[in-house]
Amino acid sequence: MAVHKVLGRMGGAHPGIPTFSLNKDTWLSPSTQPEVQGLNRNPTFDYAITLPHPKPDYGVTMPHPLGKMFFLLNRNRAMENGDHTAVEFVYQYLSNFAKQHGLNTKIVRDQLVAEYGAPASLLEQIRLKVVP
């Protein structure tokens, strides 16, 4: 999994690149809206792991086309309706990324719990595997 460490908070627009679109039927918790706004400003990132200020956030980019497709499908499904199965998939990818880069997986778990309302106990039961 490729990563770009963001030096500071996510920002900077990239005109002409499609962004995740929200409509009146899209389900998002207030905690998820900054994620979407950050991804819209940084469309090369597939997800952002948010660290406490003043630490920089991590922008995560999936390098493998098939892995990227599955990740984005599940990320978008989680953002659209809070689907817990999709959140589990996102958690597995992001937790593996966190472990590979010396981050505490609890940060990822707590972020997804806040963003999608998935029970922490559900995410804690996932057996982490190396994914492309």
Side-chain angles (χ1 to χ4, degrees):
M1 206 180 295
V3 61
H4 302 279
K5 187 172 182 181
V6 181
L7 302 175
R9 294 291 174 198
M10 291 175 52
H14 298 276
I17 298 174
T19 60
F20 181 82
S21 62
L22 302 176
N23 62 47
K24 64 183 175 102
D25 299 323
T26 301
W27 176 91
L28 286 176
S29 75
S31 297
T32 309
Q33 292 174 9
E35 175 75 28
V36 172
Q37 292 167 353
L39 291 173
N40 284 342
R41 287 190 306 271
N42 297 281
T44 59
F45 297 144
D46 299 319
Y47 214 85
I49 297 175
T50 306
L51 300 178
H53 187 73
K55 294 180 181 176
D57 299 335
Y58 278 83
V60 180
T61 301
M62 305 295 161
H64 189 275
L66 189 58
K68 183 181 191 87
M69 180 187 73
F70 282 115
F71 180 82
L72 293 177
L73 271 167
N74 283 285
R75 182 203 70 185
N76 290 348
R77 192 167 30 147
M79 287 183 175
E80 288 168 1
N81 61 24
D83 182 304
H84 287 179
T85 303
V87 175
E88 289 177 57
F89 186 90
V90 169
Y91 175 72
Q92 184 170 350
Y93 263 84
L94 295 179
S95 291
N96 280 314
F97 164 83
K99 286 175 69 175
Q100 292 170 0
H101 293 87
L103 298 174
N104 188 334
T105 59
K106 184 181 181 309
I107 292 169
V108 174
R109 186 195 68 216
D110 292 348
Q111 180 176 335
L112 295 179
V113 167
E115 289 176 345
Y116 303 107
S121 59
L122 174 73
L123 299 179
E124 289 168 357
Q125 294 173 13
I126 295 174
R127 295 186 66 198
L128 298 179
K129 302 172 199 162
V130 176
V131 290

